[in-house]
Amino acid sequence: MKSSVARGPTHKQSALWLAAGLALVLAAGLALTVGPGEFGLAEVLATFGAKLRGLELEPRAEAILWELRLPRVLLSLLIGAGLGSAGAVTQGLFRNPLASPGVLGISTGAAAAVIFGFALGLDEQALWVTPALAGLGALATLGLLFGLTSRRQDLAYLLLTGVALNALAGAVATVILALFLDRYALAQKAMAWMMGSFDGRGFTQLGWASGPILVGMTAAWALHRPLDLLVLGEETAATLGVSRGRLRALAAVVVGLLVGTSTAAVGVIGFVGLVVPHLARSLLGIAGHAHARLLPASMIIGATLMLAVDTLGRALTPTFLAPGALTSLLGGVFFLGLLRRQTQIGDQR
């Protein structure tokens, strides 16, 4: 009988982890050199070195590199890591490789709640209002999903329910905007925000988003053992001390915190939570149930992917292509391929 004790990483896996870390560092360095203003990597490093030593910077370099690009790069890394870990938790919770906050309507639920806040002007009352609304919207959608799928575990029903909730939340957002057609500024802000973008984000957004997302990622990793046991089945997991209700409640709070904060900070970024866990498993050779490694790997790869997509969008067009549009395009193709693969596996069984 094979031992159920998890083995440590092999030399090959350690090399893959090192490569993933180096890719993240290289992506960050490249991202700092892309955009308006001709700054090479050597100049970027010299600028940050001088800043850290307390030296006065040349105004142009400080404005572009320190005030604009650095917070954008750090926020991209943070959002990508948060959404990647949220996707890993969601797939583990539903024991389904096609589950993700975007596919199941959780991100759109958060978006609808924020647009409701925009319409009422609540976002202008206090800085914490938009993150709170996004978190509540994500939690409400996840709660509805739990309620509607608790008695049926098949893939088709889960996906159809998620699609329905996604459409419902999108319809709510559309109705709200339709009721305020005379407010052009509102429609413009809502549409730009629905596409998901890092434009105009700086140290302010990075400051208030860092705490909730870091807490959420820490809590996500703390759920690795019950998520591993859940793979064995709910009845088996229950005999090993996993409370289904408690796990669902904790996971809902974690996913709501991660998705809600990310959505509030930069808008709707779709499909990152779906794609990243699959990339983590395939690139780093992680078993589907090894959440102790899958979660940190999803954070690293999610951060790298998000930063790469944003850098690509800035490099392709002078006006910057919204990363939310790119992730939706790439993720949609990935989802169709994954759905086809899962269907073929089901047919073979």
Side-chain angles (χ1 to χ4, degrees), residues 162-213:
V163 168
L165 290 177
N166 208 340
L168 180 61
V172 169
T174 302
V175 168
I176 293 172
L177 292 177
L179 293 175
F180 295 92
L181 280 177
D182 56 327
R183 293 170 56 182
Y184 175 75
L186 168 64
Q188 190 178 39
K189 178 168 68 172
M191 289 305 297
W193 185 80
M194 284 288 287
M195 288 191 294
S197 175
F198 295 96
D199 289 349
R201 274 65 171 186
F203 283 112
T204 300
Q205 288 78 16
L206 179 64
W208 62 254
S210 296
I213 291 181

Side-chain angles (χ1 to χ4, degrees), residues 266-282:
V266 300
V268 180
I269 305 290
F271 288 101
V272 172
L274 171 69
V275 174
V276 166
H278 291 278
L279 291 178
R281 293 186 186 98
S282 60

